[in-house]
Structure formats: structure tokens, C-alpha cells
Amino acid sequence: MTPTRSRATTLACSLFLLALAALAVWSVLPPAPRGADVPPGEFSAARASATVEAVGARVHPHGTPANDDVRDLIVRELDALGLDPEVVDGVGASGRLGEQSRVAATRNVVATIPGTDPTAPVFLMAHYDSAEVSYGGNDDGAGVATLLETARALGAGPALRNDVVLVFTDAEEACLCGAEAFAHADPRAADGGVVVNVEARGSSGPAIMFETSDGNAALVDAYARVPYPVGSSLAVEVYRILPNDTDFSPFLDDPDGRFTGLNSAYIDGSATYHAPQDTPERMSLASLQHHGSNALALVRELGNADAAALARPAADDATYFPLPGGVLARYPGSLVWPLAAGAVVAVAKLAVVLARRREVLGERTTAGRLTLGFASGLIPLAGAALGSTGLWQLMVAVRPGYDEMLDPWRPWGFRVALLGLVATVLVGWFVALRRRLGATVLAVGALAWLAVLGAVLAAVTPGGSYLASLPALAGAVAGIVAVTTTCGAVGRRVAVTLGAAVAVLVVVPVVLLFLPALGLATGAAPAVVATLLGLALVPALAVMLPRAPRVGGTVVGVLGAVTVVALVTGFAVDRFDADHPEPTRLAYALDADSGEALWVSDEASPSDWTAQYVGHRDDLSSAFPPLHGDVWTGPADAADLPAPEVRVVADETAGGERTVTLRVTPGEGAPVGTAGALRYVELDSADGGARVLAAELEGREVPVGPRGVLDTRFYAPGPDGFEAVVTVPAGDELDLRVVAAGGGLEGLPGFVDRPVGVGVAGSHTSELVLVARTVVL
């Protein structure tokens, strides 16, 4: 082959892979928002945005007057659509936080779009409350707007077969209690059904279907027919491991297994999550359009299907991932192990062929060298993980405020730096060892690591096995073709390019989705996924990168330079300012028994602003049970705040048990902050004190810890408080630590407003005001 022809083939193959990468990126981008002039049966982000503006006009956590206004808005909109909304009062309870239980009085809004011949209901769900310091424009104004605009569009089209039940839940941010109350007690949920939950954990990005019920194969088939399917079975596996919850969780927890379903959210722009900056104007209308277009299509699909069959889990989970052209590729879980085993066998076959030939294209391919090539493949994997961790540590060292964030406000410069770092490490490994071991040996070692990881993932997280197994299988088959046929240099390049193309199509979307999903703070995970793509591309490097050391060194240098430039650009672009403030967390804790007060922060390291209040670490969990582990503390002046009150309503002993009925109230003038409602009252019994046998809050049984310790919260109690029933052994004295948790530091003695560029972190502990006392019964 002439040098000119070689360069032309290499260029063509490189451009082909780049074009596929661009298509793969395009496959997971949200669609353009549609205007208010679209046909009435279609979803319009422009129409829905009016609802977002109204929902996100004020901070509106559960129990506040602003939340009441949002609920009234939903009722008016449903009335205008000709539906018959019902505000359902209930009491929800959640025990998803270990030994702590959480209870709230809830007011869900429910309306049914009747079907023509129902088999089972389809529940379309979103929550209407915001986090404590957030306007909730995205979380979950996006969900509320999606439900209302979907209901309007459904009304403009033919009636569906199944009932569609619109569920606007209360108290999601507090305890998932609205959803739990609906699943537990609402008659419309009695026989189960299919749940579609609509969420947001940021302000932009594609709407990802990230969670499913077990046995999801049939539901994934239904989801695949939406216009813009974006999801990965790996995301489902990862989310099942993470300690995160949404309103979808109580339905998954149903002891009778009455529900199946899907959960979707857009997740980029996480700096706004739960923060005061989660406002309507920060919402990407493209993300809202993505949510709505998919939700409307999915409800129509489920609404005309045999929902009763879909409400029962399928035999297995599907493996699925997005491809260009709005395609969701999928195959049954029963193929996970055959494909993983096939990848291992194919790579082993390639290695055997090379070992028997002992030399290919002028490079030695002995068994010893192949073994060394495999061992060396650990270098880019470990280097990517360590390098990404070091990158985050460097970012925090330069800008300490990042330590309180999952991702910076404007993260793309840093994301490019992370990917550049991965590429620099991988290509550097290849160039450094190419002359010693040979390009072919390194390519086989890279494919072998993919095959091994595919088998490991098949055992641990089956839905993620495809990410390594399919590239390994395709790369190994391409390698066997290139080595065993007389296809010439052009044929070899084409063969390995086609093998690498599979990896590009399969892995690139996941890299793009994982960067915002896990954030740069945990960048090792997306860095390792990006390294899998790099390993799959090593065979292409082996036949396309010239052997001259100077060329390889130049490529590594360019990649390193891109990394540095991207990092510097990230710092230059992403600066803390009034619209993108440094997040800080400060709380105030008053012991009503001693009259002593403290400033408290659970920041990893106090910011300059927070440091004026706190200076040393202490464990306050005994005095203030809501504060777990060591936190930063500092002395504070005692404010004139009322302590929560506990009144004994009844005290009865029978059968060796003492049952005490209590009325717990927050105290007149409790710290409700600007939101206008107390966050919660927490009851904790002393570890080592009387053993609590059972407990109830407002008629709902709450779990007791294995040592008989009570740890429970009631959210947003009104002036009349709530009823608690506690049972202990007869004759035992019951000590309770009662903590009222309010919000709003303004007006407290010694508090100084934050300067421009310093803001409130999106956290349930931000602006927290605790007043604690001990009650002995």
C-alpha cells in the first residue's frame, strides 16, 4: 500500500468513527421545544411553561401557604380541563432512612381520565411541593406542568382504553409521604397498576428513563415506542444500588407487588438542585419538551395496552441502550450471559490465533507477550480512576466551594478536561508500550479487559454487561477477520473500524449521560466508562496510528494540551457570582433546657463566610438528634424561641405494657421562617433508656429500632401539632428528646446576610433552626 493510500484510508476510517460519535451524542440530546401553535393533541413546552412559571413563583415546601396555592392552581387547571379533581387528605409514612421513620399529613390532588374498557389504571405522577429553600421550578414544576399539559393533549384526542389517573403528590421532599399515602390507602390504587413518575434533578439535559420496577422487559418495549427514548439498563442497575429515592419508591416497596412502572428525570445542571436557584427561568424548555413528548406518548401506549398484564412483572429485565434515529436497542436478560461468554470466547480465540502465529505484521505475539499486554491494560483503567479523582481534588483546592457540589455551575470545560485526561492516559499507555510489547498485543489486552469486565458485570449488574461485552465481542470478531483473512491493509483497517464502531455507538451515549448523573465529584465512574470506550478503540489505534515514536508523542502532547486548556477554561468560565453563588450551609441549634445555642454547619470544610460562625468539630447527635456525626460548630447567642410542647393525653398500663398518648405541638412562635411552616418535629428516645415496644404517629405505625430506640419525625405540624402513641414496658420511665426544626436564619442574633457571590446550598439542612428539649414521662 502506498503512503498516500494508507493516509487516505486512515482518514476515512477516523472520520467515520467521529461521525458515529456525533450521531451517538445526537441520539441523547433533547428535542427542540415546540411552540403554543402546535396541534392540540401534541405536547407544547411553550404552553407547559406557563404552569412552570406559576408553580415556581415562590418557595413552597410541604405544609406552607405557598404550597396550598400551588395545590389550588392544580385544582383550577384540572377543573378547566373538564376533569373532576379531588384533594385527598391522608397520612403517609416512610421508613426508607434506616431506623428513622418519617410521617406527614398529606393533601394529594387526584383526577381520573376515564378509559373506554379499562384493564388496569395507568398512574401518571409528579409531586407539587418544593425543597425547603427552593422555588421548585424544575423539581418538580417540570413534573406538574408535564402532567397538566399531557392531560390537556389527551383530552384533545380519542379516549384511551385504560383509566389514566393523574396523581399530584404532596410531601415528596419531606418523606415521600404523599406517594406512600396514595399507594397505601387511596382506593384508586387498591388493585395496583402501572406507574409513570416524572421528576427533575437539575435544570437541563435529556429526560432519562433511569429507574424501573423489576421484570421490566414488557415496559421497556412500551417505552421504546416513545419518540425520543433515552435510557440505559446500566442506569437502572446503578440507581438500584444508590441510596436515592423518589415518589416511585413507595410503589416499588409495596409488599403485595401491585405496581410496576417507570421513572424519568432530566439531571444536568445539578447545581440548581434543591437550591434557591431552581427557578422557572433556569429551566431548559428543550428538557421540558423531552419530558412531555415522551410522557404523552408513553401514556397513550400504556393507555391502549393490556395494562393488567403490564402491571405484573415480566420474566426478566431487559438490557437496553439508545442508538441514533430514536431507536432503543434492547434484548432479553437471558442473553446477558451468552453474550458475555461469547465475548470471552472470541477474545480467547483471537489470542490463541495470534499465539500460534507468534508473529503478526512484524510484531511478536507470543503467549508471554499477550499475558503482559493483558496485565498492562490495568494501567489506563487505574490511571483514569486516579486521574479523575486527582482532577476533582485540584478543582477543590483551587476553588474550595466546589467541595459542596456534585458539579460546578458551568461544568463543560471541566468535563472536557476529564475526557482529555482519560484520552491522554490511554494513548500515553499505548504509545509508551507499543515498541516494547507491540500494538497487536496491546489491542488484544484491551479487548481481554473488556471481556473480563463484561463477565463481571453480568454477575454483579447484568444490565450493564453490554457496555463491555458488546465492544469486546465486536472487536474480537473484527480482529479475527483482520488476522485470518487476506484482506490487506485496507481490509484490516476497515475490519477494526467496524469493530470499534460498535463501541462508539454503545458507549458514547452512556459517557454523556453519566457525566451529569454522577458529577465531577464522583468523576471516577464516568472516567472508567470513558476508558472502556478507549480500550475498545485500541485495535483501531493499532492499525491507524503511525509507528514513529515522534508521531505518538505528538498525539499524547496534543491531548495533554487539550486537557490543560479545557481545565483553565473551566476555571475562567465558572466563577462564583450573584447568579452562580458559592453554596454554603449554616444552621442554628438551641438547647431549651440549658439555654445554650450553637451555630452549626455540615460543610466538608467551612467556607470563608461560614467560618465566621463555626470553628471546631463536634458530635451533637445526643443533644440534637437531626445532626448526625461530627459537624462544625461555634457559639451563638440564645434567641427567644419557644420549645416544643408535649402534653400527656392518656397514660394506661395493661398486660405488662405502658401506653402513653401524647399531643406534641411546636410551641407558639416556632421558627417557621419565610416559608411560613415548621419543617418537622423529631422524637427520639434515649439509647440505653426505656425500650420502646411500639409507636404510632397520627394513627400510622412507625418502626422502632432493634434496640428499642424510637427515631421518628412528623413533618409540617400545624399549631395543634400531632398525636403520638408510645408503648414501653410497664413501670419504665420514658425519656424523649423532642426537637422542633424550623427554617430561616434572618433575625437571629449575630446572623449577617450573605454577601454577593455566596448563596444557600441546596440541602435539607440549609437554614435549619433547631430547638430541642428533653421530656421525662
Side-chain angles (χ1 to χ4, degrees):
M1 173 184 279
T2 65
T4 300
R5 188 179 178 190
S6 175
R7 285 193 294 268
T9 305
T10 297
L11 178 61
C13 291
S14 300
L15 290 176
F16 174 72
L17 292 176
L18 287 174
L20 283 184
L23 285 173
V25 169
W26 172 75
S27 72
V28 294
L29 295 180
R34 307 199 68 184
D37 56 347
V38 300
E42 298 181 19
F43 189 96
S44 163
R47 283 192 294 251
S49 65
T51 299
V52 175
E53 294 284 349
V55 171
R58 289 192 289 167
V59 175
H60 56 281
H62 163 63
T64 63
N67 204 42
D68 296 341
D69 291 342
V70 173
R71 181 173 59 252
D72 292 342
L73 166 73
I74 294 170
V75 171
R76 289 196 304 271
E77 292 291 328
L78 293 171
D79 277 331
L81 292 173
L83 301 175
D84 186 19
E86 179 184 356
V87 178
V88 182
D89 292 319
V91 177
S94 174
R96 272 191 160 254
L97 293 173
E99 295 180 8
Q100 184 180 76
S101 58
R102 300 185 174 189
V103 181
T106 60
R107 307 203 73 195
N108 295 330
V109 181
V110 186
T112 300
I113 303 174
T116 59
D117 184 20
T119 59
V122 177
F123 302 105
L124 183 58
M125 181 172 62
H127 69 90
Y128 69 87
D129 61 309
S130 74
E132 293 86 346
V133 298
S134 172
Y135 288 83
N138 290 279
D139 181 17
D140 195 19
V144 172
T146 295
L147 264 63
L148 290 174
E149 174 67 2
T150 296
R152 185 208 55 73
L154 290 174
L160 303 179
R161 175 185 181 187
N162 298 309
D163 290 348
V164 176
V165 182
L166 305 171
V167 186
F168 300 84
T169 62
D170 193 10
E172 190 269 357
E173 299 292 359
C175 51
L176 317 176
C177 288
E180 195 280 338
F182 180 83
H184 174 76
D186 196 294
R188 282 156 289 210
D191 295 325
V194 182
V195 180
V196 177
N197 190 48
V198 184
E199 260 287 5
R201 194 220 63 181
S203 59
S204 61
I208 306 167
M209 194 273 284
F210 67 95
E211 185 182 21
T212 72
S213 51
D214 289 335
N216 62 28
L219 287 174
V220 170
D221 281 344
Y223 175 76
R225 288 186 276 275
V226 304
Y228 311 107
V230 175
S232 165
S233 48
L234 174 62
V236 172
E237 298 280 10
V238 171
Y239 197 81
R240 287 173 179 172
I241 297 171
L242 296 175
N244 299 335
D245 291 297
T246 68
D247 269 344
F248 193 51
S249 301
F251 294 88
L252 296 180
D253 291 342
D254 181 67
D256 298 320
R258 295 172 296 160
F259 304 97
T260 61
L262 307 169
N263 199 359
S264 296
Y266 56 84
I267 59 176
D268 210 347
S270 63
T272 64
Y273 182 52
H274 287 173
Q277 290 73 33
D278 184 7
T279 55
E281 56 267 23
R282 288 184 184 262
M283 173 185 285
S284 164
L285 290 184
S287 299
L288 180 60
Q289 184 68 49
H290 198 178
H291 245 334
S293 293
N294 281 359
L296 176 59
L298 182 60
V299 169
R300 282 177 171 153
E301 179 70 28
L302 298 173
N304 284 319
D306 183 353
L310 291 173
R312 297 188 295 271
D316 59 9
D317 285 336
T319 292
Y320 58 93
F321 47 90
L323 290 176
V327 174
L328 191 75
R330 56 202 185 277
Y331 56 82
S334 58
L335 291 181
V336 168
W337 270 112
L339 287 171
V344 171
V345 170
V347 173
K349 173 66 174 177
L350 176 60
V352 168
V353 169
L354 293 171
R356 285 177 176 173
R357 296 196 174 194
R358 300 184 65 82
E359 184 174 317
V360 174
L361 300 177
E363 296 178 348
R364 295 179 63 196
T365 56
T366 62
R369 283 195 170 223
L370 290 168
T371 301
L372 290 174
F374 173 72
S376 75
L378 186 60
I379 294 173
L381 286 166
L386 294 174
S388 60
T389 302
L391 176 65
W392 179 251
Q393 291 174 344
L394 173 62
M395 291 170 59
V396 170
V398 173
R399 199 154 288 160
Y402 286 162
D403 210 14
E404 303 305 317
M405 308 176 75
L406 181 68
D407 249 352
W409 287 101
R410 290 152 290 201
W412 272 107
F414 299 116
R415 290 175 182 172
V416 172
L418 176 65
L419 296 177
L421 178 63
V422 170
T424 302
V425 170
L426 187 130
V427 177
W429 158 77
F430 178 80
V431 169
L433 295 183
R434 182 178 191 171
R435 296 191 68 185
R436 292 180 177 273
L437 297 178
T440 304
V441 164
L442 294 176
V444 175
L447 294 176
W449 271 105
L450 289 174
V452 169
L453 291 173
V456 171
L457 290 172
V460 179
T461 55
S465 178
Y466 79 93
L467 202 64
S469 293
L470 294 185
L473 180 59
V477 170
I480 292 171
V481 170
V483 171
T484 60
T485 62
T486 57
C487 55
V490 172
R492 285 193 295 273
R493 282 177 171 80
V494 171
V496 298
T497 298
L498 292 177
V502 173
V504 170
L505 291 174
V506 168
V507 183
V508 166
V510 176
V511 173
L512 198 67
L513 297 179
F514 263 45
L515 281 169
L518 300 176
L520 289 163
T522 51
V528 169
V529 173
T531 304
L532 298 183
L533 173 62
L535 291 174
L537 293 176
V538 170
L541 274 178
V543 298
M544 286 192 267
L545 185 66
R547 297 186 181 187
R550 186 170 60 183
V551 175
T554 300
V555 172
V556 174
V558 169
L559 291 172
V562 169
T563 302
V564 173
V565 170
L567 182 60
V568 172
T569 302
F571 283 121
V573 170
D574 190 65
R575 297 176 181 271
F576 292 130
D577 55 35
D579 293 329
H580 310 87
E582 177 183 5
T584 59
R585 291 195 296 272
L586 185 66
Y588 177 87
L590 173 66
D591 189 326
D593 296 330
S594 66
E596 296 180 353
L598 293 168
W599 295 111
V600 181
S601 177
D602 58 359
E603 293 176 13
S605 180
S607 67
D608 291 342
W609 181 82
T610 311
Q612 66 182 309
Y613 298 97
V614 300
H616 63 276
R617 295 184 69 80
D618 199 0
D619 185 346
L620 303 179
S621 56
S622 294
F624 301 98
L627 304 174
H628 301 289
D630 286 349
V631 292
W632 292 98
T633 68
D637 295 331
D640 184 16
L641 297 173
E645 299 173 358
V646 178
R647 178 170 59 89
V648 177
V649 176
D651 191 341
E652 302 173 342
T653 300
E657 296 181 350
R658 178 191 180 197
T659 301
V660 185
T661 302
L662 309 170
R663 171 61 54 176
V664 183
T665 56
E668 186 176 353
V672 298
T674 56
L678 198 71
R679 295 186 183 180
Y680 58 83
V681 171
E682 181 165 321
L683 303 179
D684 294 89
S685 62
D687 192 0
R691 183 167 60 90
V692 176
L693 303 176
E696 293 181 1
L697 296 187
E698 286 295 313
R700 291 298 302 270
E701 183 179 354
V702 296
V704 176
R707 299 183 305 277
V709 176
L710 177 64
D711 181 4
T712 189
R713 291 179 183 177
F714 190 88
Y715 276 83
D720 295 333
F722 59 94
E723 182 179 89
V725 180
V726 183
T727 301
V728 296
D732 279 10
E733 183 178 85
L734 176 62
D735 291 357
L736 287 177
R737 190 66 173 170
V738 187
V739 186
L745 304 180
E746 299 83 0
L748 291 177
F751 179 76
V752 179
D753 287 340
R754 292 171 172 84
V756 174
V758 177
V760 177
S763 166
H764 294 300
T765 61
S766 290
E767 309 299 276
L768 186 65
V769 178
L770 301 177
V771 183
R773 64 174 296 198
T774 298
V775 176
V776 180
L777 303 172

